[in-house]
Amino acid sequence: MKNLKPIFLFVVVILALNLNAQSNAGLKLPEGFKATLFADTIGSARHIAVTKSGVVFAKLMYPNKAGKSIIRLEDANKDGIADKINGWANYGGTGIFVKGKDLYATSDNDVYLYQLNDNDEVVNPSSPKTIVKGLIAKNQHASKSITLDGDNNVYVNIGAYSNACQEKDRTAGSKGMMPCPILDSAGGIWKFSGTKENQVYGDGKRYATGLRNVVGLDWNTQSNSLFVMQHGRDQLNSFYPTLYNDAQNAELPAETMYELHEGDNAGWPYVYFDPYQKKKILAPEYGGDGKKEGGENALNPTVFFPAHMAPNGLLFYTGDQFPAKYKNGAFIAFHGSWNRAPLPQEGYFVAFVPFKNGKPNGEWEIFANGFSGLADGEKVTNVRKVKSRPCGLAQGPDGSLYVSDDARGSIFKISYAK
Amino acid sequence: MAKQLPILFLSVLFFTVSVNAQDLVKGKKIYETRCLACHQADGGGVPNMNAPLDGSSNVVGNNIARLVKIIKGGYSEKIALDGYYYNNVMTANPDLKEEDIANVLSYVRTSWSNKASKVTVAQVQAAQRKK
């Protein structure tokens, strides 16, 4: 019995460590914030939306084991953990947006509209209205994310099916096409009516162009304008090793946030934004050498972040629960990089940028970290072993922030207690 | 027994030569410059984007011709592999020599948890004749 004492102590210590790791659902948050694991292993949860009554909807990239791809989650006993979970639909996709009793969801080609009843249950699970159809989806950057403005217009990202608009995609020595023909039907944000049915390209308009791929986007109600997060280009070192070494590739180009107005151009594929020179640099596919500037008529980013972190969610916080500094600021879910290899990866966190009157008002900071499941300070080197990858963001009626994860299929609920 | 010895000797010799012909160090070098950016240092790929090589049924399988074709010509379709989908485009490597392909394939088929056979230059040549 005496001999068992060290083992017993060891077990107690392990249990304590384990519990500690599980507090705040394993997340590291600023002082005063707490998190619960609202749901777990629901499937590849991309974007999420919350109704005024607090019901959460998640869009899955692929149907889950039960064959469902839109998941409804309700926390009936209000303990911060969903207790009623069910789903419908069988098409994968990323976009979901709720406005009153209208629930929009996307496949990689179409935008659908479902109706919710007084209990925020779907009325027409198998017969949604088709709002937009026939959008281009060619595997790469095929996901369609959406947001709405205050006038029932829906903004759809149509990602470029290319890395840098080369004649042969991702091929060393292949030149950039001039002009880039992809921009006619992709590589931008398209605006459609949120109420008209069966719209195709011709019914909408290209609202902004020169955006390689946007996943996170949100309408800012203070500036009354659209903000998007672009995924910057990859593989500068792979195809231009004489211009960019591995370390430079890891830090180039910046991940960029843009405020968009109709007719804007963010510059892809002709330029990328260099976070060190703080300039739009001509892409090597278009004759650039890492220094030559370009994109005279292209936007400058509103905010820029380190490279390759894959911003998949953007949300302007309008709630009253969080401390005043968060009001109207931007939360960004960084899915986490893979293109920094052979160097360690970055991202796998939710960042925050303070805003005032629709303009950035201070430096960005990490808000929620620890999604990767690694120890503090440990960098991701094996992407497939990462526990969770932050993807979608949504704000609950009580001002809590929800974060979805498409790797493990979790939804985290982050709240502030005074 | 005496009759069989030369055959045994020859087959051992052949085996030794064919194993040594594949240079895993060179294969690793090619992997690092051409493959690692997407397939990652651990061969694990990137979920939903870049297919894993470690533990991949395609990579350790017997269809060498398919592997050679993908390395040379690239791949641009969504690929279903071991229950998951991968979307990203694979770069073509038309400039790789037969020996390079044999080396890099031998490297990926014997690295990480993979324990498949190495690939010979003769196999790469045969694969290319098949088209």
Side-chain angles (χ1 to χ4, degrees), chain A residues 3 38 43 55-56 88 104 115 127 161 265 357 385 391 395:
Chain A
N3 289 344
F38 184 74
V55 171
V56 178
W88 75 93
Y104 294 83
Q115 219 50 56
S127 55
Y161 42 93
N265 170 19
N357 301 323
K385 291 182 180 152
C391 187
Q395 184 185 310

Side-chain angles (χ1 to χ4, degrees), chain A residues 61 139 170 338 382 384, chain B residues 40 42 48 54 78 85 91:
Chain A
M61 182 162 28
N139 301 327
R170 297 186 193 255
W338 56 271
N382 307 84
R384 72 170 157 175
Chain B
Q40 306 288 298
D42 67 343
N48 306 309
D54 180 26
K78 186 175 193 168
Y85 293 97
T91 300

Side-chain angles (χ1 to χ4, degrees), chain A residues 107-353:
Chain A
S107 68
D108 287 351
N109 299 101
D110 309 323
V111 180
Y112 300 105
L113 173 58
Y114 296 90
Q115 219 50 56
L116 302 177
N117 65 17
D118 289 346
N119 299 321
D120 287 338
E121 293 155 339
V122 65
V123 173
N124 52 344
S126 55
S127 55
K129 286 181 182 170
T130 302
I131 298 297
V132 186
K133 63 182 183 182
L135 301 177
I136 277 192
K138 292 187 179 178
N139 301 327
Q140 198 177 177
H141 308 148
S143 75
K144 303 293 180 287
S145 35
I146 48 169
T147 194
L148 271 79
D149 63 16
D151 296 319
N152 279 323
N153 295 300
V154 60
Y155 298 83
V156 187
N157 167 64
I158 307 178
Y161 42 93
S162 172
N163 176 40
C165 207
Q166 290 170 287
E167 287 166 1
K168 283 195 85 175
D169 190 22
R170 297 186 193 255
T171 300
S174 176
K175 277 196 183 130
M177 291 186 274
M178 193 69 197
C180 174
I182 291 171
L183 294 171
D184 294 344
S185 60
I189 303 291
W190 265 254
K191 179 182 177 181
F192 293 94
S193 158
T195 53
K196 258 174 72 181
E197 289 182 63
N198 295 313
Q199 297 169 93
V200 293
Y201 270 104
D203 298 305
K205 65 171 77 152
R206 191 178 73 177
Y207 189 72
T209 189
L211 291 153
R212 179 175 173 271
N213 188 33
V214 166
V215 186
L217 74 175
D218 196 16
W219 189 263
N220 185 312
T221 53
Q222 280 209 308
S223 59
N224 204 30
S225 58
L226 180 67
F227 282 73
V228 301
M229 291 292 316
Q230 177 181 235
H231 282 219
R233 55 157 306 153
D234 308 326
Q235 292 179 295
L236 285 165
N237 60 336
S238 305
F239 306 136
Y240 300 92
T242 56
L243 295 175
Y244 305 91
N245 61 29
D246 289 347
Q248 288 168 314
N249 171 70
E251 300 296 343
L252 293 174
E255 297 290 42
T256 43
M257 178 195 286
Y258 297 100
E259 178 178 5
L260 297 179
H261 297 97
E262 189 170 335
D264 276 345
N265 170 19
W268 181 90
Y270 313 113
V271 291
Y272 66 82
F273 192 77
D274 181 321
Y276 296 103
Q277 302 181 66
K278 297 187 173 57
K279 287 173 182 167
K280 289 166 287 184
I281 301 297
L282 195 63
E285 290 82 0
Y286 291 89
D289 59 1
K291 294 186 191 77
K292 269 186 236 167
E293 291 181 58
E296 292 75 19
N297 301 317
L299 293 178
N300 276 309
T302 311
V303 188
F304 57 90
F305 301 86
H308 306 306
M309 302 199 303
N312 273 8
L314 171 64
L315 176 112
F316 286 100
Y317 184 79
T318 56
D320 294 319
Q321 185 193 103
F322 289 6
K325 87 168 209 189
Y326 294 98
K327 184 90 179 185
N328 300 312
F331 286 101
I332 300 113
F334 284 103
H335 200 223
S337 70
W338 56 271
N339 353 45
R340 286 176 168 249
L343 279 78
Q345 305 298 344
E346 281 294 343
Y348 305 94
F349 53 65
V350 175
F352 176 75
V353 189

Side-chain angles (χ1 to χ4, degrees), chain B:
Chain B
M1 190 63 192
K3 246 195 234 166
Q4 284 164 359
L5 262 180
I7 294 167
L8 186 69
F9 175 70
L10 271 180
S11 51
V12 166
L13 183 73
F14 179 72
F15 183 71
T16 315
V17 167
S18 64
V19 166
N20 287 346
Q22 273 61 67
D23 190 328
L24 294 180
V25 175
K26 284 184 187 163
K28 184 172 192 230
K29 185 83 195 148
I30 294 165
Y31 183 81
E32 284 169 351
T33 51
R34 304 225 180 196
C35 319
L36 184 146
C38 296
H39 292 292
Q40 306 288 298
D42 67 343
V46 178
N48 306 309
M49 297 193 70
N50 309 326
L53 304 179
D54 180 26
S56 152
S57 58
N58 280 356
V59 170
V60 298
N62 295 323
N63 194 345
I64 305 297
R66 180 160 195 254
L67 297 174
V68 172
K69 192 179 169 201
I70 292 174
I71 288 178
K72 284 215 91 157
Y75 198 89
S76 59
E77 301 298 314
K78 186 175 193 168
I79 184 169
L81 175 65
D82 302 325
Y84 293 92
Y85 293 97
Y86 301 92
N87 284 332
N88 213 349
V89 169
M90 159 129 173
T91 300
N93 296 276
D95 57 322
L96 275 187
K97 296 186 185 75
E98 287 161 352
E99 191 189 338
D100 298 331
I101 295 175
N103 287 339
V104 76
L105 271 178
S106 296
Y107 174 74
V108 300
R109 281 166 60 88
T110 59
S111 293
W112 317 296
S113 69
N114 290 348
K115 292 183 174 53
S117 60
K118 292 176 188 169
V119 172
T120 64
V121 172
Q123 279 176 295
V124 174
Q125 287 166 339
Q128 288 186 295
R129 278 197 298 273
K130 263 191 199 168
K131 284 285 164 191

